[in-house]
Amino acid sequence: MKAFAYVNATSEKEAVAALSPEFEKALPIGGGQDLLARMKDYVTQPDRVVNVKAALESAVTPASSGLRIGAAMKMVDLAEHADVRRLYPAIAAAAVEVGTPQIRNQATVGGNLNQRPRCWYYRNEEFVCFKKGGSTCFSPAGENQFHAIFGSGPSFIVHPSSLAVPMLAYGATFRLAGPTGERLVPAADYFTMPTLQNVRTENVLKPSELLTHVLLPAPGSQKSGHYEVRYKTSHDWPIAFATVLLTMNGPTVQAARVVMGAVAPVPWRSTAAEQALIGKTVTEETAAAAADAALRAARPLSQNAYKVQVAKTAVKRAILRAAGIQTV
Ligand SMILES: Cc1cc2nc3c(=O)[nH]c(=O)nc-3n(C[C@H](O)[C@H](O)[C@H](O)COP(=O)(O)OP(=O)(O)OC[C@H]3O[C@@H](n4cnc5c(N)ncnc54)[C@H](O)[C@@H]3O)c2cc1C
């Protein structure tokens, strides 16, 4: 690992001051579950690492009519938090499936939302891909079993954060702090699709900014379902997953929110699936029809067509869960 300076920031101001406007010159560290691995693999080589765990909030507190979640909160605490479980159960469901107990004990909310892609080309120092300032994405012509089935490049990573998907579904807002002050960015605008002009990062966070906390709006009366599909049930990233929120009018769906994960470079909302649900009673058939609609525009690569069916299953089961219908 390249030698680096270490700053143990004790306030938001101190942490922001220790960052740099230069890309990856100074990086915040939460639990280090992602950053340290990238540094050991020479994928990311900052001159300075800024510990933000004592600088940012690490608790859930009431805010307006919703909740405020500190970026330094550990994933284990988020998964077990009584109000999060009661009011935003899909967030707790996503948090509890992240990695292993040891990883959840270290990993933070800010780090989870800002972790970098797990693409094996990006993670291998030998491949200078778009994400590392190169001029190509190796996955379309290479090994792409776990890559995106939505979006048309130029990079085909899938967003690695499980938490990002329910955050988008619930309409969370992220508070960012930088040298010129703060800004509030809806989760729906935070994550960015790759373009040739901006392919190195996955979100709008500037190098000199921090994500300080997440604001969740009032929970409302919607019911939620979250479903993840993995190769194995032990620690692993999901192949595809979905968060579904349903607002019911008696037995009929009045409004729906369907967001998929691990299928695109950003959490992928499907308005087609939402439209397919509105006005319907949830049954195996209507859930399957909405799942079909969710995946209709998928464009798999050479080795990941199987993900289309996996994602359909995740969406269908998340819908059924949200409706309180037993799934496997
Ligand atoms: C075997 C295994 C299985 C896993 N499975 C899953 C899974 O299923 N789902 C999932 O979501 N993750 C999974 N992970 C990834 C793991 O959850 C993340 O690495 C972890 O959540 C990152 O959090 P951290 O606090 O350790 O981040 P760090 O490593 O400290 O930081 C990650 C990145 O975010 C930046 N950062 C940290 N804090 C902030 C902040 N406050 N503001 C702005 N930027 C910040 C850092 O600079 C860094 O670039 C898995 C990891 C392993 C090893």
Side-chain angles (χ1 to χ4, degrees):
M1 190 191 282
K2 192 187 94 172
F4 59 91
Y6 186 72
V7 177
N8 219 348
T10 53
S11 69
E12 177 185 305
K13 205 170 161 201
E14 206 184 312
V16 168
L19 297 178
S20 159
E22 233 176 284
F23 183 67
E24 292 195 337
K25 191 175 173 61
L27 284 173
I29 189 166
Q33 297 300 293
D34 171 40
L35 181 59
L36 292 178
R38 275 160 42 217
M39 289 169 67
K40 286 179 191 167
D41 289 343
Y42 296 94
V43 170
T44 305
Q45 301 186 55
D47 291 340
R48 192 157 61 245
V49 170
V50 184
N51 177 16
V52 294
K53 285 194 295 297
L56 304 179
E57 292 167 24
S58 57
V60 169
T61 46
S64 315
S65 38
L67 290 182
R68 168 178 171 137
I69 302 172
M73 185 169 205
K74 288 185 179 179
M75 295 297 284
V76 63
D77 297 331
L78 182 70
E80 291 175 0
H81 197 278
D83 289 342
V84 174
R85 287 167 64 117
R86 185 169 54 85
L87 302 171
Y88 309 92
I91 290 180
V96 82
E97 291 209 53
V98 164
T100 61
Q102 290 87 346
I103 291 168
R104 294 193 290 277
N105 246 314
Q106 290 294 324
T108 61
V109 169
N112 187 274
L113 292 168
N114 288 290
Q115 62 177 301
R116 303 300 312 277
R118 302 307 298 195
C119 169
W120 36 45
Y121 294 110
Y122 168 68
R123 295 267 161 178
N124 186 323
E125 64 168 310
E126 308 288 333
F127 290 90
V128 184
C129 68
F130 274 136
K131 292 264 169 217
K132 288 183 289 202
S135 56
T136 193
C137 173
F138 293 93
S139 64
E143 298 286 330
N144 51 47
Q145 294 93 312
F146 301 116
H147 286 76
I149 55 173
F150 285 104
S152 46
S155 158
F156 290 86
I157 61 121
V158 294
H159 201 279
S161 169
S162 296
L163 214 46
V165 169
M167 290 292 182
L168 204 86
Y170 283 114
T173 297
F174 298 158
R175 189 226 182 221
L176 313 182
T180 55
E182 64 166 24
R183 57 188 180 126
L184 294 174
V185 182
D189 299 333
Y190 186 73
F191 303 101
T192 49
M193 282 296 283
T195 62
L196 280 175
Q197 292 69 42
N198 181 21
V199 70
R200 291 199 78 164
T201 60
E202 293 80 47
N203 55 50
V204 299
L205 190 82
K206 294 183 187 144
S208 54
E209 285 181 320
L210 283 173
L211 193 163
T212 63
H213 54 259
V214 175
L215 293 163
L216 288 167
S221 62
Q222 76 267 40
K223 304 197 176 312
S224 71
H226 182 85
Y227 199 95
E228 305 192 359
V229 183
R230 286 176 166 74
Y231 255 116
K232 49 187 189 281
T233 50
S234 65
H235 61 278
D236 205 355
W237 279 263
I239 295 169
F241 65 106
T243 297
V244 171
L245 304 185
L246 299 177
T247 307
M248 305 300 291
N249 182 3
T252 308
V253 177
Q254 193 176 45
R257 186 61 63 94
V258 177
V259 187
M260 289 176 275
V263 295
V266 295
W268 195 259
R269 182 176 168 191
S270 173
T271 50
E274 293 168 7
Q275 289 305 319
L277 287 166
I278 292 170
K280 304 275 175 16
T281 303
V282 177
T283 61
E284 285 267 349
E285 290 70 31
T286 55
D292 282 347
L295 274 300
R296 201 157 292 138
R299 296 286 174 272
L301 298 167
S302 58
Q303 298 169 344
N304 67 4
Y306 78 101
K307 281 185 70 165
V308 174
Q309 183 55 46
V310 174
K312 268 187 202 174
T313 302
V315 172
K316 178 183 161 189
R317 291 183 182 174
I319 294 169
L320 293 173
R321 273 193 178 169
I325 298 171
Q326 183 98 31
T327 62
V328 285

